[in-house]
Amino acid sequence: MIKAIVLPTDPLLPVRVLDHDETDPRAAQALVGGLIQPVTLSGAASRLYVNLHGKDFGLPPNGRATLLTWMYAPELRGHHDIAGGAFLTGAFDTDAPADLVALLTGAVPARVQTRSHRRPDRWITVSQTVPTVYGEPFDAYATALLALNNPHTLDARVIPRQ
């Protein structure tokens, strides 16, 4: 059994952590509502499992899973959105990373930092013109993705508030 983070399609339902039998494909299919497709989130050392046919079957969009995909799999950013249920594990079907568990479940507040092309060695907390501490982690991920649209931004990250 491993710890997995479940990302329901309905944004009103909470993100939750559960013990998942990584050796049971039916358990994985039950979590996403159909055949599973893994998406490697290399920037988060994680693997996201999604419904392989979610869009084909007209399942509702999963905004939270899409934000994570776009943040941690940049090659999919902007053109691969997720539909249907999703869950996240560690990169090799191990426990979901503890920092992501804390962030995504809201156990710790999040903040967004960026690096610029001019100062690639320095992370800067996002400007005071927007909140810099987020109680809802997916607001932080949306802000980080918006920051990446700035041509001066080299990279963005969401981290726990220290």
Side-chain angles (χ1 to χ4, degrees):
M1 298 291 257
I2 62 170
K3 299 282 184 208
I5 303 170
V6 178
L7 304 165
T9 301
D10 184 342
L12 298 177
L13 294 175
V15 171
R16 68 186 195 281
V17 178
L18 60 75
D19 290 323
H20 170 65
D21 181 356
E22 75 280 12
T23 65
D24 183 359
R26 289 188 181 140
Q29 291 173 352
L31 288 174
V32 303
L35 296 177
I36 60 171
Q37 175 182 5
V39 178
T40 299
L41 304 181
S42 55
S46 299
R47 185 173 288 150
L48 183 70
Y49 287 93
V50 301
N51 187 309
L52 175 64
H53 299 293
K55 287 170 59 175
D56 298 335
F57 293 159
L59 297 179
N62 190 324
R64 295 181 283 197
T66 298
L67 283 171
L68 292 176
T69 300
W70 290 2
M71 187 73 197
Y72 295 121
E75 68 279 6
L76 302 176
R77 190 174 294 148
H79 57 80
H80 185 77
D81 51 324
I82 307 298
F87 69 96
L88 186 128
T89 68
F92 301 102
D93 291 332
T94 57
D95 286 340
D99 58 338
L100 277 180
V101 170
L103 276 173
L104 299 181
T105 61
V108 297
R111 68 179 170 158
V112 176
Q113 292 185 327
T114 62
R115 290 187 301 164
S116 70
H117 290 284
R118 286 183 272 178
R119 297 288 311 265
D121 59 326
R122 186 169 179 222
W123 287 97
I124 306 292
T125 299
V126 170
S127 168
Q128 297 296 331
T129 60
V130 297
T132 56
V133 176
Y134 301 84
E136 167 52 52
F138 295 96
D139 290 343
Y141 281 103
T143 299
L145 285 166
L146 287 172
L148 289 169
N149 286 331
N150 183 325
H152 300 291
T153 301
L154 172 65
D155 199 5
R157 67 183 181 185
V158 176
I159 62 171
R161 178 180 159 204
Q162 307 273 337

